[in-house]
Amino acid sequence: MDFEPAARQTLPPAHFGYLATGVDDDLTLKANREGFNRIYLRPKRLVDASRADLRTEIFGTMWDTPIALAPIGNQKCFHSEGELPVAKAARSKRTLLILSTYTNYSLEDVAESLGAPAWYQLYPSPRWEITEKLVRKAEAARCPVLVLTVDTQAGRNTETLERFRRLDTRECVACHGTRREDFFRRKPLFAGIDVTGVAFSNPALTWEHVRRLKKLTPMKLLIKGIETREDARLCVESGVDGIIVSNHGGRAEESGRGTIECLPEVVEAAGGRVPVLIDGGFRRGTDIFKALALGARAVCIGRPYIWGLAAFGQAGVERVLDLLRAELELVMKQCGTTSIAQIGRASVGFRSL
Ligand SMILES: Cc1cc2nc3c(=O)[nH]c(=O)nc-3n(C[C@H](O)[C@H](O)[C@H](O)COP(=O)(O)O)c2cc1C
């Protein structure tokens, strides 16, 4: 959490507001953190825990830890080189990186810094030809996994962002523009794609879009933004390859429920048929441990690595990853679980409030 004030000091108010905001009264943002307090650890004593193995396999690739970097758009808001220092940090820490649709650098430029193609996050466009073109670009860049984010389709009410924006006296137009065309012009991925009149969200979207997408590409398809068992079942029935439990870091709807509280029902509905990942409010090794104990395959972090990026560039992202890794390793040893596979339902319990 100490990286947050450091980032706040370096960022213009509007950019910090974009990072910090939840929706409405930021209750879901807070619920993401509070959810962890309901879960306690059940340490196991006198186990040889001189070593702990954090390696994690996802779709045949072995990562150093189960900690991944969530897709965050517009990273030039936070650092002059945007996604590139993040990719370099992910490379040096052998960490899974999911690149946003709204990346300020091309898939190829990011892949060069990362040493491999990243996973690619896709927002579902109401115009199918845009989706198709973006998917083809991701295929051409050899991205192995497509992550379809479905949680902001109905729009959102980011009041904290609005308040911060009013504190900012700079002219947005002078730097990055304010028109829709300016937004897309700064995203190389949209080069050559006609985006006239395209909305960022489309409440008319249905599971048909998911099934069509699945047929369109051989890439693995994950759905990001699932919070209930009903939707988890529909994911599996629609043939998706994985689920990310997420409420967009409390910036989709004001559900009032933390993602860690959503996780058990989603894991149960997935029934081991597809891996379940999660994000939202993960700030400590113990938070990550709790999600793994409840059946998550991996945990994505959002704001913390951006705080690191904003304050210290690549070194900041690396430090955030190192701290989380060290904390997770410590709690694994304390709980007598020396590999990720050993972390299970018996490692935690629920406190009634
Ligand atoms: C500034 C910001 C931009 C984001 N941009 C995207 C995005 O482009 N695509 C996406 O799927 N999720 C996006 N997210 C959501 C994150 O991927 C992730 O779900 C969330 O940040 C996790 O919560 P945390 O920040 O509490 O760790 C964004 C989040 C933030 C804070």
Side-chain angles (χ1 to χ4, degrees):
M1 295 304 296
D2 294 340
F3 282 79
E4 185 176 21
R8 186 168 182 168
Q9 248 176 17
T10 63
L11 290 174
H15 292 192
F16 182 77
Y18 168 55
L19 182 59
T21 196
V23 287
D24 292 6
D25 299 307
D26 292 347
L27 291 178
T28 312
L29 178 80
K30 289 175 196 130
N32 276 347
R33 293 288 311 129
E34 286 160 8
F36 294 111
N37 299 337
R38 283 200 53 218
I39 304 165
Y40 57 82
L41 304 181
R42 299 185 65 249
K44 203 158 161 237
R45 308 292 185 209
L46 300 175
V47 172
D48 176 1
S50 39
R51 283 207 175 78
D53 182 358
L54 278 69
R55 283 172 307 158
T56 301
E57 184 269 335
I58 312 173
F59 299 137
T61 302
M62 194 62 93
W63 304 97
D64 268 15
T65 72
I67 305 164
L69 301 174
I72 302 265
N74 307 291
Q75 291 187 17
K76 273 200 169 177
C77 281
F78 311 116
H79 189 279
S80 59
E81 289 173 36
E83 289 77 8
L84 301 184
V86 172
K88 287 176 192 159
R91 179 185 204 159
S92 79
K93 299 295 165 191
R94 286 194 292 271
T95 295
L96 167 60
L97 169 65
I98 311 177
L99 192 64
S100 164
T101 299
Y102 297 142
T103 169
N104 286 130
Y105 284 86
S106 70
L107 297 173
E108 289 74 14
D109 284 348
V110 174
E112 200 182 314
S113 294
L114 186 61
W119 286 18
Y120 175 62
Q121 177 265 325
L122 177 74
Y123 277 119
S125 170
R127 292 227 311 265
W128 181 253
E129 69 273 16
I130 295 181
T131 294
E132 199 165 343
K133 283 188 179 151
L134 290 172
V135 168
R136 296 297 176 229
K137 286 190 179 193
E139 285 173 349
R142 300 186 183 284
C143 298
V145 176
L146 192 63
V147 175
L148 181 75
T149 300
V150 296
D151 53 13
T152 48
Q153 289 308 299
R156 57 187 190 179
N157 179 31
T158 49
E159 289 189 11
T160 295
L161 166 59
E162 291 311 317
R163 288 192 193 96
F164 273 96
R165 218 203 289 267
R166 285 170 197 199
L167 298 176
D168 213 320
T169 51
R170 300 161 328 130
E171 275 294 332
C172 302
V173 179
C175 175
H176 51 71
T178 51
R179 296 166 312 161
R180 185 175 301 280
E181 307 85 87
D182 299 327
F183 178 84
F184 285 113
R185 187 173 40 76
R186 291 170 61 82
K187 312 282 180 321
L189 215 61
F190 287 91
I193 301 181
D194 177 13
V195 287
T196 344
V198 169
F200 296 118
S201 48
N202 174 21
L205 221 77
T206 67
W207 287 95
E208 180 50 32
H209 186 97
V210 174
R211 288 189 284 270
R212 215 172 155 192
L213 194 57
K214 183 66 194 157
K215 279 197 206 119
L216 179 70
T217 176
M219 278 188 280
K220 297 270 186 216
L221 177 63
L222 267 66
I223 305 286
K224 175 172 181 278
I226 298 301
E227 299 181 64
T228 64
R229 67 170 65 78
E230 293 86 345
D231 279 351
R233 271 190 215 118
L234 285 165
C235 282
V236 176
E237 284 164 23
S238 306
V240 309
D241 301 288
I243 295 171
I244 305 186
V245 175
S246 177
N247 53 26
H248 221 97
R251 48 208 276 137
E253 72 288 301
E254 191 76 302
S255 68
R257 185 157 77 134
T259 51
I260 194 72
E261 297 172 272
C262 304
L263 181 64
E265 66 175 72
V266 172
V267 166
E268 193 196 331
R273 286 168 290 183
V274 296
V276 176
L277 287 71
I278 183 170
D279 69 27
F282 287 82
R283 304 291 182 260
R284 285 276 184 199
T286 47
D287 302 337
I288 297 166
F289 183 87
K290 288 171 186 177
L292 299 175
L294 296 176
R297 176 72 66 88
V299 167
C300 307
I301 54 163
R303 293 179 185 86
Y305 82 84
I306 298 292
W307 297 332
L309 172 72
F312 306 106
Q314 179 184 345
V317 180
E318 288 177 353
R319 187 76 182 123
V320 165
L321 286 170
D322 281 344
L323 286 170
L324 287 172
R325 185 204 164 103
E327 288 186 6
L328 176 60
E329 189 171 340
L330 178 64
V331 62
M332 282 172 68
K333 289 179 175 176
Q334 289 167 336
C335 288
T337 48
T338 55
S339 71
I340 299 294
Q342 285 175 21
I343 307 172
R345 192 57 192 79
S347 310
V348 295
F350 283 92
R351 176 180 296 126
S352 50
L353 289 180

